[in-house]
Amino acid sequence: MSDNISGKVVVITGASSGLGEATAQHLSEQGAIVVLGARRAARIDTLAARIMAKGGQAIAVPTDVTDAAQVQHLVDAALERFARVDVMLNNAGLMPHSPLERRKINDWDRTIDVNIKGVLYGIAAVLPCMQRQRSGHIINVSSVAGHKVGVNNAVYAATKTAVRVISEGLRQEVKPWNLRTTVISPGAVATELPGSVTEPDIARGIGAFYEQFAIPADSFARAVAFAISQPDDVDVNEILFRPTRQEG
Ligand SMILES: NC(=O)c1ccc[n+]([C@@H]2O[C@H](COP(=O)([O-])OP(=O)(O)OC[C@H]3O[C@@H](n4cnc5c(N)ncnc54)[C@H](OP(=O)(O)O)[C@@H]3O)[C@@H](O)[C@H]2O)c1
């Protein structure tokens, strides 16, 4: 059991696969209570059952983060069941890379709705209870793409840059309530994320890149645990990590 993780109520969006799923498992092994949100209800139900079978505590709440009311329902379910929320991990995201000249407007809309608005809705849902508690920790997921833009990822990089900017603004604003904020920017981590690319030629390139470079999802879970496990007067504001072999 790690200090400052055990017993905490942690709400995780995008918990049905990849980084969210790995983090739910890792934190529950450290004694955290996890509240799992994602659209694929069967996946989060199964994960919750797996965690409970190992003696952990978990609930699954089907959630589409593009709907503010559903994100509020996720947080309210955590409050109803466990009476507090200690950590909100705004993790849900997608990465449908393509060159701008292909005018994939539907992909742009979905990326902005999930990656930016979904994070804002998570902040909106959890702030009132954390202000009442005068404690809490909001962790947002950016990316290496939030630090640098390249060809084919302008819209994704813009959303992940927005997540960093929102996180820094939030950090400054929540001081009066003693809240902590962290933004985590991973490099290539092996998840289902490349599956969100809708252009077949781009998907092939990204698939090959991930096959060569990606590291396991527990790398991210450990970064989350590191931030949460610090003493309450230590606020780890930003973590950027890459696979050791990833250059860009
Ligand atoms: N893997 C990487 O290399 C990497 C690098 C940098 C940053 N990231 C970021 O890490 C986060 C997690 O991604 P991942 O790598 O774990 O990919 P993933 O395996 O594809 O997981 C994405 C998660 O987001 C959820 N999601 C997507 N749209 C949603 C919506 N409208 N409402 C609720 N949940 C939604 C998915 O659940 P449902 O489909 O069930 O809703 C899924 O659980 C993303 O923000 C991503 O941008 C990943």
Side-chain angles (χ1 to χ4, degrees):
M1 296 270 181
S2 296
D3 282 348
N4 225 7
I5 295 180
S6 184
K8 281 193 167 169
V9 178
V10 182
V11 177
I12 302 174
T13 68
S16 59
S17 66
L19 306 186
E21 179 181 10
T23 304
Q25 288 181 153
H26 186 67
L27 295 180
S28 67
E29 283 161 13
Q30 320 280 314
I33 297 158
V34 290
V35 178
L36 313 171
R39 292 167 304 174
R40 287 171 292 178
R43 295 273 290 251
I44 51 176
D45 279 344
T46 304
L47 177 59
R50 211 160 59 226
I51 288 169
M52 287 189 293
K54 287 186 181 163
Q57 285 193 79
I59 58 170
V61 185
T63 307
D64 184 333
V65 299
T66 65
D67 179 348
Q70 292 190 37
V71 184
Q72 188 65 60
H73 176 70
L74 171 68
V75 169
D76 288 347
L79 288 171
E80 206 168 288
R81 179 75 183 271
F82 303 112
R84 57 185 296 110
V85 174
D86 297 297
V87 181
M88 180 77 189
L89 176 58
N90 289 308
N91 163 73
L94 70 162
M95 187 187 73
H97 286 356
S98 63
L100 292 166
E101 55 92 10
R102 291 195 196 172
R103 298 157 41 98
K104 302 284 292 181
I105 290 171
N106 185 42
D107 281 354
W108 301 348
D109 285 342
R110 290 189 306 122
T111 309
I112 290 165
D113 285 349
V114 175
N115 294 10
I116 303 180
K117 290 186 185 175
V119 168
L120 287 170
Y121 295 160
I123 292 168
V126 86
L127 263 184
C129 82
M130 288 186 173
Q131 287 172 317
R132 272 196 310 276
Q133 293 169 181
R134 295 203 157 260
S135 76
H137 192 167
I138 298 173
I139 304 177
N140 299 326
V141 183
S142 178
S143 168
V144 165
H147 292 256
K148 50 179 287 213
V149 60
V151 291
N152 300 340
N153 80 348
V155 175
Y156 180 72
T159 65
K160 292 303 184 180
T161 301
V163 170
R164 287 184 62 221
V165 171
I166 290 163
S167 300
E168 172 56 14
L170 179 69
R171 183 190 72 76
Q172 295 176 40
E173 290 184 21
V174 296
K175 291 294 128 191
W177 298 282
N178 192 40
L179 307 188
R180 302 195 294 181
T181 63
T182 303
V183 60
I184 304 184
S185 299
V189 181
T191 67
E192 296 176 16
L193 196 65
S196 64
V197 183
T198 57
E199 295 289 88
D201 57 330
I202 309 289
R204 274 193 298 279
I206 290 173
F209 179 83
Y210 270 72
E211 244 170 58
Q212 189 179 355
F213 290 109
I215 52 176
D218 63 350
S219 56
F220 174 84
R222 287 194 304 275
V224 174
F226 171 77
I228 299 174
S229 66
Q230 299 307 306
D232 288 338
D233 61 351
V234 178
D235 190 8
V236 176
N237 300 132
E238 183 149 15
I239 296 174
L240 165 63
F241 73 94
R242 291 176 173 84
T244 308
R245 54 183 177 255
Q246 181 182 342
E247 185 201 334

